[in-house]
Amino acid sequence: MLHRRATGQHYAFIVIAVTFVALLVAAALRSAPSVMMLPLEAHFGWDRATISLAAAIGIFLYGLTGPFAAGLMQTIGIRRTMIGGLTLMAVATLSSLWMTERWHYVLSWGLISGIGSGAIAPVLGATVINRWFAARRGLMMGLLTASTATGSLLFLPVLAWLTRNGAWTPVALSVGLGAACLIPVVWLLMPEDPAAIGATRYGEAAGAAAPRTGPARGASMAIGTLMEGIRTPIFWLLFGTFFVCGLTTNGLVGTHLIAYCGDNGIAPVQAAGLLSLMGLFDLLGTTASGWLTDRYDPRKLLFVYYGLRGLSLIALPLAGFQSTGLLLFAIFYGLDWVATVPPTVALANRHFGEEKAPIIFGWVMTGHQIGAAVAAFGAGLIREQTGSYLPAFTIAGAFGVLAAFAAVGVARKAPVHEAGFQHG
């Protein structure tokens, strides 16, 4: 067994590694409905709107659970919260192997998996980084954020390959077993904080005071922090722009791009390969975004990210679904997939402090998932009513451009003198 004390501050990187893998598994669960959509439609005869509804519920609860999970991490601890989330994820996906009715799918892949994966969400990354790192926070947040999108996208070709014969059950089985196998790893390798192993945060001087944690009032702390946040313009800036972030990424592209490609004669495995390529470039782009956040104004970074994302969504249908155009879209969009997270967390830390920032970010993530749920259901409904995804992609692109200008216009008035990410 690893001697934790011997590693000192560097044990923080083991914690990051475990968190990275947990986020991968949670992200794989959240992306699985996109490859299950057509097999479920064929196997059960369910319509696209019904299947999209379950995905939308799961996405919404994934976000809504975040701030309460952040509060639980401040009270019962990170490790117990993670184990609880992984257990719910395993139960939800494995139990769906016996589903026969629509409500079974909504309950398992919508309700239960949404709550479980919400405990293994970007708020986990924000909490872990604040607790274990005093330096290089932007870079570490970029890395963990990349794991979320990478898990969503990188595993899609494998999941799509599992459905090659029209079967959906191998996807549920693989995701469920992945969550279950991670439970003992978290139990063994996730101390609550550096003090538990006689160390200090990475980059912090020996003998420095540990970051203060709140009293044991997880739910009330989440609500109280929300009440404080909604009275500030910066909260609504972050909430609104993250609504657009969810609308334009996992809600639209992550859920419907494979089906959109299918409408244009592209096989599911090939379309999933495009999403996988996005995941690889996201790992580079979001990690780089964390590095940039340590050094540049995060508000300006948000303007660039949202603007480019919106324009790319508008350009995709206009460019057609030829190989070269899709390849360029996958590379460009992958670099920008969730690059917005590190600067958003930086702004939350700057304006709300280390203790409350993860909870604020949890509520901001709720906005992200509301936007994603709107896109997941709305794009399916638009496709059902019009026979095309074109209006959905155009509308989402326009929102991306609006979010870019909102970030610059509103954030310029926000205070910048409070402590934020420290330079690494």
Side-chain angles (χ1 to χ4, degrees):
M1 183 177 180
L2 179 66
H3 198 300
R4 295 172 179 171
R5 291 183 181 274
T7 60
Q9 288 189 347
H10 290 88
Y11 195 83
F13 294 102
I14 296 175
V15 172
I16 286 291
V18 175
T19 306
F20 185 94
V21 175
L23 290 171
L24 281 178
V25 173
L29 181 148
R30 291 269 51 91
S31 66
S34 65
V35 298
M36 294 169 60
M37 186 175 295
L38 297 180
L40 287 172
E41 192 175 32
H43 183 81
F44 292 105
W46 300 338
D47 59 79
R48 188 76 57 88
T50 297
I51 299 172
S52 297
L53 175 63
I57 291 173
I59 289 171
F60 172 71
L61 290 176
Y62 173 78
L64 183 61
T65 303
F68 296 98
L72 284 176
M73 291 174 200
Q74 299 282 7
T75 57
I76 68 172
I78 293 176
R79 180 168 62 178
R80 291 178 180 176
T81 303
M82 289 179 69
I83 289 174
L86 289 167
T87 301
L88 287 177
M89 288 164 54
V91 168
T93 51
L94 294 176
S95 66
S96 71
L97 295 172
W98 291 276
M99 67 181 179
T100 56
E101 303 291 338
R102 297 181 187 186
W103 70 268
H104 295 164
Y105 182 60
V106 173
L107 177 64
S108 57
W109 283 89
L111 181 63
I112 301 175
S113 76
I115 295 173
S117 60
I120 314 294
V123 293
L124 169 64
T127 304
V128 166
I129 288 168
N130 278 358
R131 193 170 292 188
W132 284 87
F133 285 83
R136 305 188 189 278
R137 293 184 183 177
L139 179 61
M140 290 299 106
M141 192 66 213
L143 183 64
L144 292 185
T145 302
S147 75
T148 301
T150 299
S152 297
L153 304 176
L154 192 60
F155 295 147
L156 278 175
V158 177
L159 298 179
W161 180 80
L162 292 174
T163 66
R164 65 194 184 283
N165 295 321
W168 60 269
T169 52
V171 175
L173 182 62
S174 60
V175 173
L177 290 178
C181 290
L182 195 55
I183 292 173
V185 176
V186 172
W187 178 258
L188 291 172
L189 298 180
M190 284 292 293
E192 286 304 321
D193 52 43
I197 59 171
T200 56
R201 294 187 295 176
Y202 179 82
E204 190 171 58
R212 183 171 59 91
T213 58
R217 49 186 180 90
S220 62
M221 187 177 187
I223 298 297
T225 304
L226 173 64
M227 293 299 102
E228 177 183 334
I230 61 177
R231 294 193 292 267
T232 63
I234 188 66
F235 174 84
W236 291 110
L237 161 70
L238 300 179
F239 188 93
T241 54
F242 242 45
F243 173 93
V244 176
C245 184
L247 187 83
T248 53
T249 53
N250 58 321
L252 179 66
V253 175
T255 303
H256 291 284
L257 183 62
I258 292 177
Y260 194 12
C261 287
D263 290 347
N264 288 272
I266 298 172
V269 173
Q270 183 182 352
L274 291 172
L275 289 172
S276 177
L277 185 63
M278 288 184 191
L280 290 175
F281 278 91
D282 167 75
L283 187 61
L284 299 174
T286 307
T287 302
S289 176
W291 183 87
L292 291 170
T293 301
D294 280 331
R295 290 159 176 80
Y296 299 102
D297 187 344
R299 298 168 296 175
K300 294 178 181 178
L301 295 177
L302 290 178
F303 171 77
V304 173
Y305 298 155
Y306 283 117
L308 293 178
R309 183 185 300 177
L311 293 175
S312 66
L313 283 174
I314 294 172
L316 173 64
L318 299 177
F321 282 77
Q322 302 302 316
S323 299
T324 302
L326 285 174
L327 179 63
L328 291 175
F329 176 79
I331 294 172
F332 182 82
Y333 205 78
L335 289 171
D336 190 32
W337 181 265
V338 284
T340 54
V341 173
T344 300
V345 173
L347 289 172
N349 265 348
R350 176 178 298 176
H351 293 279
F352 297 98
E354 290 184 3
E355 179 187 358
K356 294 181 179 179
I359 299 176
I360 287 290
F361 182 62
W363 286 114
V364 170
M365 273 297 300
T366 302
H368 182 283
Q369 297 309 108
I370 291 173
V374 168
F377 177 68
L381 184 62
I382 288 173
R383 167 62 173 75
E384 194 77 23
Q385 296 297 320
T386 68
S388 173
Y389 279 111
L390 175 61
F393 275 73
T394 303
I395 292 169
F399 270 103
V401 175
L402 288 175
F405 286 100
V408 170
V410 179
R412 186 180 295 124
K413 302 176 183 178
V416 295
H417 60 276
E418 299 177 40
F421 279 137
Q422 298 182 23
H423 295 272

